[in-house]
Amino acid sequence: DAGITQSPRHKVTETGTPVTLRCHQTENHRYMYWYRQDPGHGLRLIHYSYGVKDTDKGEVSDGYSVSRSKTEDFLLTLESATSSQTSVYFCAISERGYTEAFFGQGTRLTVV
Amino acid sequence: SQQGEEDPQALSIQEGENATMNCSYKTSINNLQWYRQNSGRGLVHLILIRSNEREKHSGRLRVTLDTSKKSSSLLITASRAADTASYFCATGSSNSGYALNFGKGTSLLVTP
């Protein structure tokens, strides 16, 4: 298995609070991605990074921000969580753009 | 927006039968990939087919790609109960940045 770890694995938070999810990789892959998975929607891209400090928005980026200060870590922040952000969040990595991606185990986030 | 669209949404077959899933997409691509997701787990890469390829095999998997119809199919031969999972197609396109765009998936149930 690719060395990719998401933390936390589960989180319950209240509406309006900030939340940060972490993705850590040990593969030294250049590309890192955050997706959310919801019933009926499949996987939708939130943000991705193509290098340290290089990020770009995905399809559903509103309400989310990301940071990547070193190769191995990619952080996803919900500045003020809303119930619509209740979802399962997946981090993925790849060596090059749109090549084989390796996924983390996911973080189940519930906003109450 | 999501690029791929799988069909059918759900498929139920018996062990030993073949399972065929289809994926349609909207714009030109560099490659198309198929992933499997077991319940509650991250996605696992199955196979990648480039835009200049028409067919690819990997074990019991056969993928075809028709760029003129913007469609792909995944065939799993001699299905086993362990093949029960959701299957997603994902497209990689230089027109849409460096990230993969996923469809909503096909849920496959293989009964003994």
Side-chain angles (χ1 to χ4, degrees), chain A residues 80-98:
Chain A
S80 177
T82 67
S83 59
S84 65
Q85 294 175 313
T86 292
S87 186
V88 180
Y89 291 85
F90 286 99
C91 176
I93 62 174
S94 66
E95 203 166 1
R96 293 183 300 278
Y98 51 79

Side-chain angles (χ1 to χ4, degrees), chain A residues 33 35 37 41 98 101 105, chain B residues 2 31 35 37 41 98 100:
Chain A
Y33 312 87
Y35 289 90
Q37 185 174 31
H41 291 278
Y98 51 79
Q105 292 301 299
Chain B
Q2 285 181 295
N31 65 59
Y35 288 78
Q37 183 182 35
R41 307 293 297 274
Y98 298 103
L100 292 172

Side-chain angles (χ1 to χ4, degrees), chain B residues 88-103:
Chain B
F88 295 86
C89 69
T91 54
S93 169
S94 54
N95 294 329
S96 55
Y98 298 103
L100 292 172
N101 287 300
F102 285 83

Side-chain angles (χ1 to χ4, degrees), chain A residues 7-26:
Chain A
S7 60
R9 294 290 314 278
H10 301 270
K11 186 170 183 66
V12 179
T13 192
E14 292 186 349
T15 299
T17 60
V19 177
T20 295
L21 308 183
R22 180 182 184 234
C23 179
H24 178 78
Q25 60 144 331
T26 57

Side-chain angles (χ1 to χ4, degrees), chain A:
Chain A
D1 288 350
I4 176 169
T5 305
Q6 291 185 230
S7 60
R9 294 290 314 278
H10 301 270
K11 186 170 183 66
V12 179
T13 192
E14 292 186 349
T15 299
T17 60
V19 177
T20 295
L21 308 183
R22 180 182 184 234
C23 179
H24 178 78
Q25 60 144 331
T26 57
E27 304 296 323
N28 201 36
H29 282 357
R30 179 179 174 187
Y31 293 85
M32 299 186 76
Y33 312 87
W34 278 108
Y35 289 90
R36 60 177 288 174
Q37 185 174 31
D38 305 288
H41 291 278
L43 273 83
R44 292 180 292 175
L45 180 68
I46 304 171
H47 283 279
Y48 69 95
S49 169
Y50 48 97
V52 174
K53 297 191 189 309
D54 292 322
T55 64
D56 204 352
K57 296 179 180 180
E59 177 188 1
V60 291
S61 60
D62 286 349
Y64 302 94
S65 62
V66 290
S67 66
R68 190 170 179 199
S69 58
K70 45 187 178 178
T71 299
E72 55 266 36
D73 289 325
F74 192 33
L75 304 180
L76 176 71
T77 297
L78 291 65
E79 301 291 347
S80 177
T82 67
S83 59
S84 65
Q85 294 175 313
T86 292
S87 186
V88 180
Y89 291 85
F90 286 99
C91 176
I93 62 174
S94 66
E95 203 166 1
R96 293 183 300 278
Y98 51 79
T99 55
E100 178 183 359
F102 300 93
F103 280 78
Q105 292 301 299
T107 295
R108 184 173 295 275
L109 176 68
T110 302
V111 183
V112 298

Side-chain angles (χ1 to χ4, degrees), chain B residues 69-111:
Chain B
K69 295 181 180 178
K70 292 186 170 58
S71 67
S72 172
S73 67
L74 171 67
L75 169 66
I76 304 173
T77 60
S79 295
R80 308 165 181 168
D83 293 327
T84 294
S86 292
Y87 292 82
F88 295 86
C89 69
T91 54
S93 169
S94 54
N95 294 329
S96 55
Y98 298 103
L100 292 172
N101 287 300
F102 285 83
K104 298 178 182 178
T106 291
S107 178
L108 174 64
L109 174 63
V110 182
T111 55

